[in-house]
Amino acid sequence: MDIFKNSAYPVRSWSDFFEFKRFGMPPISEPQHLLDRVIANLQYYTANYLVVVAIFLLYTLLTNPGFFFALAIVLGSGAYLFFVRTPPPTNQIAGGFAAFSLFVLFYFSGFLFFYTLFLTAAFVLGHAATRKRSVKAKVNNIVNSVASVIGGDNSDEPKYTRTSTTHQNRSTNNY
C-alpha cells in the first residue's frame, strides 16, 4: 500500500497487525489500561483500520445492488445540496438531509448497511481493545503526548508518527 507510505498515518505491517500472540484481554479491574490500549492502537493502526473499513464497505457495495443504488442517491443528493445549490443549506435542511439519507439507505438495503457499520466498528474496537501495544506503539503514543504539550495543542490528533527511521511533523511549526 504505497499510497499511505509517506503519510502521517502509514499502513503498518499486516503481519504485525494480525500477530496473534500479541492479543489478550486487558484486566477488567483497570479500565484506564483498556482505554490507553484502545487509544494507542487506534492512533498507531489508523491506516490499517481505514483499509479494513474500506474492505467491509466495498464488499457490502458489491454484494448488494440496492445498497449501491441507495448510496448513489444519497451521494448525488448530498453533492447537489452542499456543493451545487446556492445558498448553502441551513442546519434544518442539513438535518433533514441526514434523516432522508438514513431513510433511503434503510429502504433500499434494509439493515445491511447498519449491520456493516456495526460489524466494522466491532472488528476495529475489538482489535484495538485486545491487541497488546507494541513498544513502537507505546513510543509513538509518548511522542504524541510530548509533542502536544510542547506545542500547546490539547487535541488528541497525533502530531508525529513513526515511519521507518524518521518522525514526520504534521504541523507547520518546527519544534
Side-chain angles (χ1 to χ4, degrees), residues 160-175:
Y160 298 94
T161 56
R162 181 167 172 86
T163 56
S164 59
T165 58
T166 62
H167 292 290
Q168 295 179 340
N169 187 346
R170 291 191 60 221
S171 67
T172 56
N173 300 332
N174 292 324
Y175 299 122

Side-chain angles (χ1 to χ4, degrees), residues 77-90 93-94:
S77 303
Y80 172 76
L81 185 63
F82 292 102
F83 299 111
V84 176
R85 181 177 175 261
T86 54
T90 63
I93 292 174

Side-chain angles (χ1 to χ4, degrees), residues 34-151:
L34 173 64
L35 183 63
D36 291 343
R37 181 187 285 189
V38 168
I39 290 171
N41 283 331
L42 287 175
Q43 288 179 344
Y44 188 72
Y45 292 112
T46 299
N48 295 70
Y49 292 136
L50 289 174
V51 170
V52 167
V53 168
I55 290 170
F56 270 93
L57 289 176
L58 183 64
Y59 176 76
T60 302
L61 278 173
L62 295 176
T63 58
N64 187 343
F67 178 68
F68 187 76
F69 180 70
L71 193 62
I73 290 173
V74 168
L75 291 177
S77 303
Y80 172 76
L81 185 63
F82 292 102
F83 299 111
V84 176
R85 181 177 175 261
T86 54
T90 63
N91 288 342
Q92 290 83 8
I93 292 174
F97 177 72
F100 165 78
S101 299
L102 289 175
F103 172 77
V104 168
L105 289 172
F106 180 73
Y107 182 79
F108 284 102
S109 66
F111 284 108
L112 180 68
F113 175 68
F114 301 103
Y115 289 145
T116 302
L117 289 180
F118 173 75
L119 289 175
T120 304
F123 175 85
V124 169
L125 291 175
H127 181 277
T130 58
R131 173 67 167 85
K132 295 177 185 174
R133 295 180 290 172
S134 65
V135 174
K136 290 179 185 178
K138 289 178 184 177
V139 169
N140 186 51
N141 199 24
I142 291 169
V143 168
N144 289 336
S145 298
V146 170
S148 68
V149 170
I150 291 173

